[in-house]
Amino acid sequence: MIKNFVRGASALSLALVPLLSAPAAQAAPAAEVTTLADAVGLVQVTEEDRTGYTRSSFKHWNSGDDATDGCNTRTEVLISEAVVAPTVEAGCKLSGGTWRSYYDGQEVTSAGALDIDHMVPLAEAWDSGAAGWTAARREAYANDQGSTVSLVAVTARTNRSKSDQDPADWMPPSPEAQCRYVGEWVSTKLRWGLTADDRELEALKVYAEGPCEDTIVRYTPAA
């Protein structure tokens, strides 16, 4: 059962086949839908290795999608995810505004009380393939606004509780958020061609074959 395709729904969808177009005007990849279980089956399994990881290997926050707006990626995400728009003052300082942290269902009225979470944490991405990327690709990953699920504004408490853990060790405290979260996690892994270890994959399968069997996933491969 396909439920909702927009951010904030409990499910996402998975794109597999790019549209064919003339070389001079190539279109963006098309979206194609599959179940969470099938999406999990597309994630390659390898052992994880954190050797050499440092957070500074992923440059963030950069100047964001609009280098002329004076805002960095963090602030652009806050602006885009607000359910009541904040006022953007000089220097891209935000005042007012309301956000809903979907991990715990909390309403937040101060941008400073929010963290921008990397859906797949930087350390987990390193373990899962990013160690072999160029610095430019790691920067693109850390500032990815090309997918609505890569970066998410949540309460600082839940983001720091999650830390660098995968779904085998951490899930959002709100039960209503968990299927959405698993879908977004798998979507991000597939978008960036990241792998999973055995424990992570087994945890994903438990959700995909049980309470989240109706969840769907969408991703567009990162350039």
Side-chain angles (χ1 to χ4, degrees):
M1 176 181 177
I2 297 177
K3 295 184 178 179
N4 212 333
F5 292 89
V6 298
R7 172 180 276 279
S10 63
L12 303 166
S13 25
L14 170 64
L16 299 174
V17 183
L19 286 173
L20 298 177
S21 59
Q26 188 170 357
E32 188 170 306
V33 176
T34 190
T35 64
L36 175 60
D38 285 345
V40 170
L42 295 174
V43 180
Q44 296 186 11
V45 182
T46 62
E47 293 297 318
E48 294 185 350
D49 184 0
R50 196 158 295 187
T51 303
Y53 169 73
T54 61
R55 190 170 176 83
S56 61
S57 297
F58 294 81
K59 181 182 177 182
H60 67 293
W61 303 109
N62 65 17
S63 58
D65 280 356
D66 183 354
T68 68
D69 66 1
C71 301
N72 63 15
T73 299
R74 169 186 159 80
T75 313
E76 288 183 355
V77 172
L78 287 170
I79 293 168
S80 71
E81 292 196 0
V83 294
V84 175
T87 299
V88 183
E89 300 175 349
C92 204
K93 180 179 179 181
L94 304 184
S95 63
T98 303
W99 293 262
R100 183 171 177 80
S101 167
Y102 93 81
Y103 288 1
D104 53 7
Q106 296 298 304
E107 184 175 283
V108 180
T109 56
S110 171
L114 293 161
D115 282 354
I116 303 302
D117 182 37
H118 292 92
M119 173 54 57
V120 174
L122 302 181
E124 169 71 19
W126 179 274
D127 297 349
S128 307
W133 294 351
T134 64
R137 186 166 179 83
R138 287 194 290 266
E139 180 179 352
Y141 177 85
N143 297 275
D144 182 20
Q145 295 185 69
S147 167
T148 58
V149 307
S150 295
L151 302 171
V152 56
V154 295
T155 55
R157 180 183 67 254
T158 53
N159 183 46
R160 293 165 198 183
S161 170
K162 171 182 173 178
S163 185
D164 59 5
Q165 298 175 95
D166 69 33
D169 297 308
W170 188 89
M171 289 291 289
S174 172
E176 293 79 11
Q178 292 179 356
C179 289
R180 173 182 171 184
Y181 182 79
V182 172
E184 293 188 353
W185 180 279
V186 174
S187 173
T188 304
K189 286 258 169 160
L190 292 173
R191 172 170 168 76
W192 289 92
L194 297 170
T195 61
D197 64 16
D198 289 330
R199 286 185 69 248
E200 176 187 346
L201 190 69
E202 287 308 310
L204 294 172
K205 286 180 178 178
V206 167
Y207 286 94
E209 296 168 5
C212 304
E213 63 181 352
D214 291 336
T215 298
I216 56 171
V217 211
R218 171 187 294 166
Y219 85 99
T220 303

